[in-house]
């Protein structure tokens, strides 16, 4: 089992920045792809960004490309999401997610076994 705890959410004005962090604990001796999804009220959970354990390659949802940056520290079992140029439509609960690293990367929520409790990000326009 892997436990994930997010931090860093909050309220920010449009155009501003926030940084989310996720700390993993438990069975962290295995290789996990880690990343972020988000869910706004009345909408499905949406892929935001993923970083692969094996080669550090990153993947981003179309709506955040060029504005968000994902990074990880394997030694500390943490993953971070730097969010710049925030827009009102970025408002959502952001969830950290992890899955055992496989041959190919997975970008849908149903393929991730481990989830954090979520952190609220609100962008005022």
């Amino acid at each position: 089992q892997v436990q994930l705890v997010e931090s860093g959410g909050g309220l920010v004005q449009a155009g501003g920045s926030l940084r989310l962090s996720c700390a993993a604990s438990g069975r962290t001796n295995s290789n996990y792809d880690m990343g972020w999804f988000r869910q706004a009220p009345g909408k499905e959970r949406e892929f935001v960004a993923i970083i692969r354990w094996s080669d550090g390659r990153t993947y981003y949802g179309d709506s955040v490309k060029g504005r968000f940056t994902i990074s990880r520290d394997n030694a500390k079992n943490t993953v971070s999401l730097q969010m710049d140029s925030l827009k009102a439509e970025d408002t959502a609960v952001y969830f950290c997610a992890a899955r055992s690293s496989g041959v190919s990367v997975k970008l849908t929520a149903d393929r991730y076994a481990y989830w954090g409790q979520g952190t609220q990000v609100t962008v005022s326009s």
Side-chain angles (χ1 to χ4, degrees):
Q1 285 282 17
V2 175
Q3 293 78 45
L4 304 173
V5 178
E6 304 100 334
S7 60
L11 173 65
V12 64
Q13 288 189 334
S17 299
L18 277 176
R19 186 177 181 86
L20 305 182
S21 294
C22 174
S25 61
R27 286 189 60 184
T28 56
N29 58 326
S30 297
N31 306 333
Y32 294 97
D33 294 344
M34 295 182 68
W36 298 88
F37 291 76
R38 67 186 183 187
Q39 190 164 18
K43 294 188 176 182
E44 293 187 353
R45 195 161 293 191
E46 175 190 16
F47 163 66
V48 176
I50 293 293
I51 185 165
R52 295 211 68 190
W53 180 91
S54 57
D55 55 10
R57 186 171 178 177
T58 57
Y59 301 80
Y60 295 93
D62 289 341
S63 61
V64 306
K65 280 181 183 176
R67 300 187 298 121
F68 291 11
T69 304
I70 189 171
S71 60
R72 71 185 293 169
D73 185 332
N74 287 343
K76 296 182 178 179
N77 296 315
T78 60
V79 63
S80 298
L81 184 69
Q82 177 66 38
M83 306 185 294
D84 299 319
S85 302
L86 282 161
K87 305 175 182 179
E89 49 264 43
D90 293 318
T91 296
V93 177
Y94 283 69
F95 296 90
C96 180
R99 69 182 300 272
S100 294
S101 187
V103 174
S104 59
V105 69
K106 305 300 180 186
L107 304 181
T108 56
D110 62 333
R111 304 306 295 267
Y112 284 76
Y114 304 106
W115 293 88
Q117 80 286 355
T119 185
Q120 177 70 46
V121 171
T122 303
V123 184
S124 62
S125 56

